[in-house]
Amino acid sequence: MALDAFDRALIAATQAGLPLVPRPYDAVGATLGVSGERVRQRLGELLHSGLVRRIGAVPHHYKLGFTANGMSVWDVADEQVDALARQVALLPGVSHCYLRPRSLPVWPYNLFAMLHGRSRSEVAEQAAHLAQLLGPHCRQHDILYSSAVLKKTGLRLKED
């Protein structure tokens, strides 16, 4: 799918985020000279095509007080990992959860779940709960705590 001039203008108008107003699509449409409905429609088409993967809130966890963020990594039995990952993804402290292939012998982990807390002890409690959920299907785990916010942006078009 090729981007036309409207698509480029739409992405440029939304790439820093939607305006924090009651009707953000209408506000974007006003800057582009179209209706908010046209903005929603085209963004929906871009989502459906896969050119835009998702539209969602990207919270800045540090600014919200969640300063002890940790990627928990788990070595889960392959025959159970899909079903267990679906349960993990639903836990309240997990913002995202995904599977990755192991890189043996250095990296035995195949399940990743980002945990957020106001302290490391809070994150450790969440990990303990997660460990109970995984039970004997988990051989080992670890938590890799964030030390900096590296990226909080989405799609960016190169300026002409």
Side-chain angles (χ1 to χ4, degrees):
M1 170 185 269
L3 294 177
D4 62 20
F6 178 72
D7 292 339
R8 295 186 74 77
L10 178 59
I11 291 170
T14 58
Q15 66 187 4
L18 292 172
L20 296 175
V21 298
R23 301 185 61 86
Y25 296 113
D26 290 348
V28 170
T31 67
L32 300 174
V34 298
S35 69
E37 179 55 32
R38 175 66 182 129
V39 170
R40 280 192 297 276
Q41 176 192 17
R42 188 58 186 150
L43 286 174
E45 292 166 355
L46 293 172
L47 277 168
H48 183 73
S49 74
L51 191 66
V52 172
R53 288 191 308 170
R54 68 183 181 99
I55 297 172
V58 181
H60 193 298
H61 294 95
Y62 281 82
K63 289 182 179 177
L64 295 172
F66 294 94
T67 57
N69 307 297
M71 176 59 73
S72 64
V73 293
W74 307 83
D75 176 13
V76 178
D78 290 333
E79 59 276 4
Q80 299 294 323
V81 73
D82 288 331
L84 289 168
R86 281 190 281 278
Q87 294 177 46
V88 169
L90 297 175
L91 294 175
V94 175
S95 64
H96 51 285
C97 173
Y98 51 90
L99 304 175
R100 290 268 191 247
R102 293 180 176 91
S103 184
L104 298 173
V106 177
W107 188 258
Y109 307 108
N110 59 344
L111 173 63
F112 296 67
M114 190 69 190
L115 303 174
H116 301 278
R118 290 183 164 81
S119 67
R120 286 191 177 200
S121 63
E122 187 178 331
V123 171
E125 287 177 27
Q126 293 173 10
H129 178 70
L130 210 156
Q132 285 183 325
L133 174 74
L134 298 175
H137 304 294
C138 178
R139 292 179 279 266
Q140 60 182 320
H141 71 278
D142 203 346
I143 302 173
L144 312 169
Y145 286 98
S146 302
S147 59
V149 177
L150 301 177
K151 181 177 180 259
K152 284 289 180 187
T153 62
L155 174 65
R156 294 283 187 264
L157 289 180
K158 190 174 169 183
E159 293 186 28
D160 294 326

